[in-house]
Amino acid sequence: MAGLQGDDDLQSGGDSVDALKFQKKPDAAPAGNRKTAEEVVPRSSRAAGSDPYCYKMDYPCLGTCLVINNKNFHQSTNMSQRNGTDVDAASAIKTFSDLGYKTRYVNDQTVEEMKQLMLSVSKEDHSNSASFACVLLSHGDEGVIYGTDGYEKIENLTKYFKGDHCKSLVGKPKLFFIQACRGTDLDDGAFIETDSVEEQTERIPVEADFLYAYSTAPGYYSWRNTANGSWFMQSLCEMLYCYRGKLELMQIMTRVNRKVALHFESASNLPGYSGKKQIPCIVSMLTKEFYLPA
C-alpha cells in the first residue's frame, strides 16, 4: 500500500498494524466408527482430579511460556520498527509468570533463530508440566510470521510440539498466542441495535490439544497502539488475569474477543485508517477444558 511500509507508526502514540509488505500471497479421510458413546456427567459428581473433560493439572509445574518479541527488522525486509511491542512483551511476561509459568523471553529473532529455539524447547522434558504456552509478537501475513530477516510459515514453528515430535506434551494443552497481521483488509465495523479416566493406551491425533489464538481474523490487519501495546495482547493479559480459576480458557478467550471487538477503534493520521475495528480469531483443537490456577 503506497505510503505505508510494513508496520509504520501511523501517528505518535496512535494505532499501527502488524503487517508484512502489502501484497497478497497465493493461497479428509472418511470418518471412522465412533468408539464409545460419551455421557454428560455433571461436574459436581465427577471425582476431583479425575474429570475426563478437564485437563489434568496436578503436575509440579504449570509449564514453560516462551515469549518471542520481534521489534527491529533488517532493512532488506522493508519492515518498520514495531513501536509499542515492548509494552506487550512486558505484559505477557508478568501475566504468564503470575499464572505460574516459567517464562522465557527473547528479542529480535531471525527466522532460523526462531526455528532453532522452538526445536530446542520442544526437545526438553515437559513430563512435569501441565501445559506449554508461546507468545509470538511480530509482523505477519496470512499463515506466516516474520523473523527479523524474513518470514516463515507459522506451522513450521509450531510443528515441533506436535504429538509425533514432542512426546512429553502429548495430551497436554499447547497454547500459541499470536500478535501479527494476517493480511491487508480493514474492518469497517457494523452497527448493531442495542435493545472416567482415559486409558493410557488411547491414541490421539498428533494435531490434538493445540490452541492458536490469533489477534485478528484471516486476511485482516492487526492493530497495535504505539504507546500502549496491541489491542489483542493487552486484552488477553487483562482477561487471563481477571478470570483465572473462574472460567475455562475458551470462555476467557471469548471475553478477549468481546473486549477487542467493542472497546477499541483505530485512530490514525492516514486517510482511511481511522475508525477501524478488529476481532481476534481463536482456533482450538483442545480436547478438554483448561482451567488456569487462581
Side-chain angles (χ1 to χ4, degrees):
M1 182 169 295
L4 186 63
Q5 293 185 349
D7 183 7
D8 283 339
D9 297 336
L10 304 184
Q11 62 183 30
S12 178
D15 294 313
S16 189
V17 292
D18 284 315
L20 55 74
K21 298 176 185 177
F22 297 91
Q23 57 187 18
K24 294 290 185 181
K25 283 193 172 6
D27 288 325
N33 293 329
R34 178 176 297 183
K35 190 173 182 181
T36 59
E38 296 179 343
E39 295 182 0
V40 178
V41 182
R43 179 178 301 279
S44 60
S45 66
R46 302 174 195 167
S50 62
D51 189 338
Y53 300 103
C54 290
Y55 283 108
K56 181 181 176 183
M57 297 300 292
D58 56 346
Y59 289 91
C61 176
L62 182 57
T64 296
C65 176
L66 177 63
V67 180
I68 299 178
N69 179 35
N70 291 338
K71 179 179 181 179
N72 305 291
F73 298 82
H74 295 177
Q75 188 174 7
S76 61
T77 65
N78 291 325
M79 295 293 99
S80 62
Q81 188 178 71
R82 299 182 59 252
N83 294 317
T85 190
D86 291 337
V87 179
D88 283 345
S91 296
I93 291 168
K94 183 180 188 320
T95 298
F96 282 90
S97 296
D98 288 348
L99 289 173
Y101 281 98
K102 296 179 179 178
T103 307
R104 301 184 192 177
Y105 173 55
V106 292
N107 279 315
D108 292 341
Q109 299 288 287
T110 65
V111 167
E112 186 59 30
E113 286 172 338
M114 287 197 297
K115 291 171 70 175
Q116 288 301 317
L117 183 57
M118 291 288 202
L119 176 60
S120 175
V121 174
S122 73
K123 287 185 174 180
E124 295 175 1
D125 185 5
H126 300 271
S127 299
N128 290 328
S129 296
S131 63
F132 170 76
C134 179
V135 176
L136 299 173
L137 310 170
S138 192
H139 286 300
D141 200 345
E142 182 55 33
V144 303
I145 194 163
Y146 257 70
T148 57
D149 60 345
Y151 61 86
E152 181 58 272
K153 290 183 178 180
I154 293 174
E155 64 187 49
N156 288 339
L157 299 178
T158 62
K159 67 180 182 181
Y160 303 114
F161 296 91
K162 291 182 180 180
D164 54 349
H165 287 90
C166 186
K167 301 296 185 181
S168 59
L169 282 174
V170 170
K172 301 175 183 178
K174 295 161 279 283
L175 316 173
F176 291 85
F177 303 94
I178 305 165
Q179 169 58 42
C181 279
R182 303 180 70 187
T184 58
D185 290 341
L186 292 166
D187 191 333
D188 294 322
F191 291 100
I192 59 174
E193 294 184 6
T194 56
D195 242 336
S196 88
V197 180
E198 298 175 359
E199 297 178 5
Q200 295 301 311
T201 57
E202 190 81 3
R203 285 199 306 148
I204 61 174
V206 297
E207 303 278 359
D209 303 301
F210 277 82
L211 176 101
Y212 300 95
Y214 295 95
S215 59
T216 192
Y220 282 88
Y221 279 131
S222 182
W223 292 92
R224 169 179 38 79
N225 187 276
T226 56
N228 302 320
S230 66
W231 304 356
F232 172 69
M233 282 306 303
Q234 294 305 309
S235 299
L236 173 68
C237 291
E238 178 185 346
M239 295 298 110
L240 286 176
Y241 193 85
C242 181
Y243 294 108
R244 59 179 182 171
K246 301 175 183 177
L247 298 179
E248 192 271 331
L249 181 59
M250 289 302 293
Q251 293 177 305
I252 295 177
M253 297 312 300
T254 300
R255 300 291 177 101
V256 175
N257 282 0
R258 178 177 176 82
K259 176 80 173 182
V260 173
L262 299 184
H263 291 258
F264 293 92
E265 188 171 294
S266 66
S268 169
N269 58 7
L270 286 177
Y273 279 79
S274 282
K276 303 304 178 182
K277 304 293 287 183
Q278 179 179 321
I279 183 68
C281 179
I282 316 304
V283 180
S284 175
M285 280 83 84
L286 297 179
T287 59
K288 300 180 182 181
E289 296 173 356
F290 183 47
Y291 287 88
L292 290 161

